[in-house]
Amino acid sequence: MSKESQIKTVEYVDGAARMIDQTRLPTEKVFVDCRSIEEVGNAIKTMIIRGAPAIGVAAAIGVSLGANAIEAEDFDSFYAQLEKKCDALGRSRPTAVNLAWSIDRMKRVARDCKSQSIRQIKNRLQEEAQTILQQDIAANQSMGSFGQTLIEDGSNVMTHCNAGALATAGFGTALGVIRAAVNAGKKINVLANETRPFLQGARLTAWELMEDHIPVKLITDSMAGYFMQKKEVDVVVVGADRIAANGDVANKIGTYMVAILAKNHNIPFYVAAPISTLDLSLASGAEIPIEERSADEVAEINNKRVAPLGAVIAHPAFDVTPNELITAIITDKGIAKPPYTESLKQLAGETAKV
Ligand code: MRU
């Protein structure tokens, strides 16, 4: 069976960003139409849509919707209003760099069309949002082709969080590598960490792999070491929210812990992410802003309080895995190996030439 994934995470249809509501999966499959840039920003903030590349694609559609709502006679007035809306959208979540990357790309397109009519600029932005969506799917497929060469037939693959079709416009980054390996005829078993506290692994990864009939076993995060010790993990593949110039990787909280465990058990630890997730302006992961999310997400499970009232709670939503724990970074332009400062710069440079 082909594993292309039929899941439509986000689409630009009928003047709206249509998204599958990821807060309601897996119990309900409900779609939400965001008709303004503000609604898209809210959907990103509240995790209706999440996952770095999916956030980037939703943001591009949001900018187009924002542009369409502007009434202006001249470019300067149009662009000033657009920038204000973009600034607010850019503040919706801080860690995934794909958000800023996508907004900057849309603003650049608007500036490049300065001499055209406002109508033409709006049309051009609409086209660009569709292009960003299509390019994201293509990037994931390309990452899959490169990445699947690293996965042997019969492998047990551990993943953390959800870096699948649901975290992208389609196919996925880490799960894209797994899908490509399955498509190449390899027998793959996935171990999905549940990913406390928001449970992206339990709610989303398990659901999406089961939809595609890819064998998956769900475990709690605290079981990762147990299964590695029992030699039931051959390789780890995760996604990324931002990758610094030296190859340090910000990804969902708990990723660092899994990387340390993998190192201890001599298990290869791969990161799969498109070039748009690189932030070469940051020398190291220490500079990556880490989102602090609501304490309720830790204190409650399924809206039921499990911690004592008044408990002091911390909720960093991401952590940084140092580059020395990462065996290779799989991108849509090829596989980067250490030293990452050189290999990532080279892959990003090749993208800039295209
Ligand atoms: O808080 P989330 O669910 O947006 O976090 C998502 C992750 O950390 C993913 O692993 C990352 O965005 C890569 S998605 C292809």
Side-chain angles (χ1 to χ4, degrees):
M1 185 185 299
S2 164
K3 308 289 180 203
E4 294 306 317
S5 176
Q6 298 308 309
I7 299 161
K8 288 227 181 321
T9 306
V10 56
E11 283 182 284
Y12 195 175
V13 280
D14 302 333
R18 180 163 298 161
M19 315 168 177
I20 189 163
D21 185 344
Q22 300 196 31
T23 63
R24 292 166 75 172
L25 284 171
T27 35
E28 288 172 288
K29 195 171 168 185
V30 177
F31 289 84
V32 171
D33 277 356
C34 297
R35 298 200 170 272
S36 66
I37 186 169
E38 292 78 17
E39 283 180 16
V40 170
N42 193 48
I44 292 172
K45 223 179 268 172
T46 57
M47 310 279 276
I48 286 173
I49 190 155
R50 36 63 53 198
I55 290 172
V57 172
I61 301 173
V63 174
S64 167
L65 294 171
N68 287 346
I70 295 172
E71 286 177 23
E73 299 294 323
D74 60 89
F75 180 80
D76 288 345
S77 152
F78 170 81
Y79 193 72
Q81 292 181 60
L82 188 68
E83 266 204 308
K84 211 166 148 207
K85 287 168 185 267
C86 286
D87 288 350
L89 180 66
R91 286 191 291 272
S92 48
R93 287 192 79 190
T95 304
V97 75
N98 308 61
L99 176 65
W101 171 87
S102 168
I103 294 173
D104 285 349
R105 178 164 158 178
M106 293 294 280
K107 280 166 53 179
R108 197 174 336 115
V109 165
R111 288 195 304 274
D112 288 349
C113 299
K114 192 178 170 144
S115 57
Q116 297 178 21
S117 73
I118 303 294
R119 172 59 26 226
Q120 284 170 320
I121 299 173
K122 290 179 178 177
N123 289 345
R124 185 61 197 87
L125 288 171
Q126 196 157 320
E127 258 172 43
E128 190 69 8
Q130 296 283 18
T131 303
I132 288 176
L133 186 150
Q134 291 308 332
Q135 285 179 347
D136 184 58
I137 298 173
N140 293 331
Q141 281 167 341
S142 162
M143 238 178 284
S145 310
F146 287 120
Q148 70 86 15
T149 61
L150 302 169
I151 313 286
E152 280 175 30
D153 188 15
S155 290
N156 295 310
V157 185
M158 177 175 281
T159 191
H160 192 74
C161 194
N162 173 268
L166 287 167
T168 62
F171 204 66
T173 57
L175 298 193
V177 169
I178 290 168
R179 280 196 171 90
V182 172
N183 288 345
K186 298 176 189 175
K187 195 174 166 305
I188 303 294
N189 286 298
V190 179
L191 264 101
N193 297 342
E194 68 168 349
T195 318
R196 274 277 288 149
F198 211 67
L199 301 174
Q200 288 93 331
R203 294 187 302 105
L204 308 175
T205 298
W207 179 78
E208 117 164 41
L209 292 176
M210 286 167 73
E211 285 282 294
D212 279 356
H213 307 286
I214 296 175
V216 54
K217 179 156 50 181
L218 176 64
I219 62 169
T220 67
D221 305 332
S222 48
M223 295 174 192
Y226 173 87
F227 284 104
M228 287 188 187
Q229 205 171 37
K230 284 187 63 184
K231 304 207 179 309
E232 289 185 30
V233 182
D234 300 305
V235 53
V236 179
V237 188
V238 297
D241 288 83
R242 196 185 293 227
I243 302 176
N246 68 345
D248 289 351
V249 167
N251 191 48
K252 181 50 54 194
I253 192 75
T255 303
Y256 171 45
M257 195 168 69
V258 177
I260 292 267
L261 280 169
K263 184 79 169 181
N264 195 57
H265 292 88
N266 285 319
I267 295 168
F269 183 93
Y270 297 119
V271 172
I275 292 289
S276 54
T277 303
L278 299 184
D279 185 351
L280 301 187
S281 72
L282 305 184
S284 83
E287 296 170 58
I288 299 176
I290 300 296
E291 178 180 14
E292 183 74 25
R293 287 190 66 84
S294 158
D296 289 345
E297 290 174 3
V298 175
E300 294 173 3
I301 297 181
N302 240 346
N303 295 324
K304 194 173 179 312
R305 181 114 191 155
V306 289
L309 282 173
V312 178
I313 289 168
H315 185 189
F318 299 92
D319 58 27
V320 173
T321 299
N323 61 68
E324 62 269 20
L325 299 177
I326 300 168
T327 314
I329 299 177
I330 303 156
T331 78
D332 45 318
K333 298 294 167 201
I335 297 173
K337 297 252 175 76
Y340 294 113
T341 312
E342 274 103 77
S343 57
L344 290 176
K345 196 154 91 186
Q346 198 189 334
L347 289 179
E350 279 166 26
T351 308
K353 277 187 242 148
V354 178

